[in-house]
Amino acid sequence: LAILKGALMYGQNPKKIVTRISKYTYGFDCYNPFDPIKHPERLKKVVGGKEKCDNIFDKIISVGEQVMLGQVIQKTYIPSYPESTGATLPIFRSSDPDPKFTCDEEELITINV
């Protein structure tokens, strides 16, 4: 009944509900410097002459986190290759509050920038 009431309130006035609780943890896929203590060898790649760990889950929002209507989250990413003129950013989700690697999670969408 509470869900139905909330849906009706939202349908009548979407601005009435100003926060939501995230059902999933969301994040981007990125490289980090490879650390043999933290990262599995299978994810090691050499990028631009440097050892990197591929498939790092860079968290944006955690499961259970309150998200405000219109909230902006900013992240800065540096291209792996200096000659890059664009990027493809896959967004992942997980029910784990602190996922480590994207290869273990569900890819939702890819953004080209």
Side-chain angles (χ1 to χ4, degrees):
L1 187 59
I3 293 172
L4 180 58
K5 184 176 179 182
L8 287 171
M9 287 171 42
Y10 182 76
Q12 292 173 345
N13 184 359
K15 293 186 179 181
K16 191 163 189 116
I17 298 175
V18 294
T19 65
R20 293 180 183 218
I21 303 300
S22 181
K23 186 175 178 181
Y24 296 100
T25 298
Y26 294 93
F28 289 111
D29 177 56
C30 67
Y31 288 113
N32 273 358
F34 185 78
D35 180 342
I37 296 169
K38 296 190 311 186
H39 303 135
E41 189 72 24
R42 66 185 170 84
L43 297 179
K44 181 167 70 172
K45 295 214 171 165
V46 177
V47 179
K50 297 179 182 174
E51 289 185 346
K52 301 283 186 171
C53 182
D54 195 9
N55 299 116
I56 295 289
F57 193 111
D58 188 31
K59 190 169 30 172
I60 303 167
I61 297 170
S62 294
V63 63
E65 186 176 332
Q66 184 174 338
V67 181
M68 301 292 294
L69 180 67
Q71 178 178 345
V72 175
I73 298 169
Q74 292 184 329
K75 289 258 190 185
T76 301
Y77 293 92
I78 298 168
S80 299
Y81 301 95
E83 65 276 4
S84 296
T85 58
T88 300
L89 298 171
I91 299 175
F92 290 81
R93 77 174 182 186
S94 173
S95 54
D96 182 344
D98 194 26
K100 302 293 183 220
F101 305 106
T102 57
C103 51
D104 302 328
E105 307 304 338
E106 178 185 2
E107 183 175 343
L108 291 178
I109 190 170
T110 300
I111 301 170
N112 293 308
V113 292

